Amino acid sequence: MTEQQWNAYHDIRRAVLFEARGLIGYDANHPDDRRDGHFPLLLLLENTPVGAARLDLMSDQTACVRTVAIKAECQGKGHGRMLMAGLEKFASQHEVKRLLVNAARDAVGFYEALGWTVIEAGGENPVLTKELRTRPQW
Ligand SMILES: CC(C)(COP(=O)(O)OP(=O)(O)OC[C@H]1O[C@@H](n2cnc3c(N)ncnc32)[C@H](O)[C@@H]1OP(=O)(O)O)[C@@H](O)C(=O)NCCC(=O)NCCS
């Protein structure tokens, strides 16, 4: 990512996941964003950043989806679905077969609409999973 894209990535996450929830302390220098196997992703709409997420590769062809956020004024218009479709494609290209997410409670319906299944409903952040379709063997 360019410096400008890093700034957009942090701005979206800070505004949507912290400020909109009344939280402070967003860390734009968190080492997890630059760790090997961690991929910060930005959704661009005609070159304008509208959403962000991070994909963390784990073991056993599993990856964890982190900090999914669509700009407030862009929510409810299919951009989250688009972001996750791109993320799934990217994950498949990295041989990922299974995605996991620790979801915000009020975002569970979003993941379910995209074919995810709740595997741990209790706790503050329900855990959902989605198996990625394997590519056809030609
Ligand atoms: C959750 C979020 C990423 C969804 O993005 P979005 O662009 O608003 O979602 P979309 O418009 O692409 O919606 C896709 C589908 O999910 C559904 N959906 C979206 N948000 C939902 C929610 N909070 N609860 C239930 N269903 C939801 C939509 O109705 C739509 O279903 P449909 O296509 O069958 O009609 C976005 O609203 C957001 O950033 N929210 C605040 C941060 C957050 O909660 N992030 C998740 C952290 S785990």
Side-chain angles (χ1 to χ4, degrees):
M1 288 211 269
T2 64
E3 194 61 31
Q4 208 177 6
Q5 288 171 335
W6 270 114
N7 289 340
Y9 172 80
H10 290 305
D11 287 348
I12 291 171
R13 300 199 317 168
R14 185 186 300 105
V16 176
L17 300 171
F18 277 70
E19 291 168 358
R21 293 173 171 168
L23 301 174
I24 53 167
Y26 178 80
D27 182 3
N29 294 307
H30 200 291
D32 279 357
D33 280 323
R34 293 183 185 258
R35 234 179 260 288
D36 278 353
H38 289 194
F39 297 94
L41 303 169
L42 203 53
L43 178 68
L44 302 176
L45 197 66
E46 292 174 357
N47 243 3
T48 302
V50 297
R54 200 179 75 222
L55 184 76
D56 296 356
L57 301 185
M58 299 162 76
S59 55
D60 300 328
Q61 298 183 309
T62 299
C64 212
V65 174
R66 308 276 190 195
T67 60
V68 177
I70 297 293
K71 269 186 189 172
E73 64 273 24
C74 300
Q75 291 175 9
K77 298 174 183 170
H79 296 126
R81 186 181 280 278
M82 203 181 295
L83 172 64
M84 296 304 288
L87 181 149
E88 285 183 24
K89 188 173 172 193
F90 182 83
S92 292
Q93 287 164 352
H94 285 80
E95 311 300 330
V96 171
K97 301 273 188 290
R98 182 173 184 247
L99 295 174
L100 291 171
V101 70
N102 290 285
R105 194 155 273 290
D106 57 7
V108 168
F110 165 67
Y111 291 103
E112 287 179 328
L114 271 55
W116 290 65
T117 307
V118 176
I119 53 172
E120 276 179 40
E124 200 179 323
N125 296 111
V127 182
L128 292 95
T129 190
K130 183 171 183 178
E131 304 290 329
L132 297 184
R133 276 179 299 163
T134 48
R135 275 175 281 175
Q137 308 287 318
W138 301 113

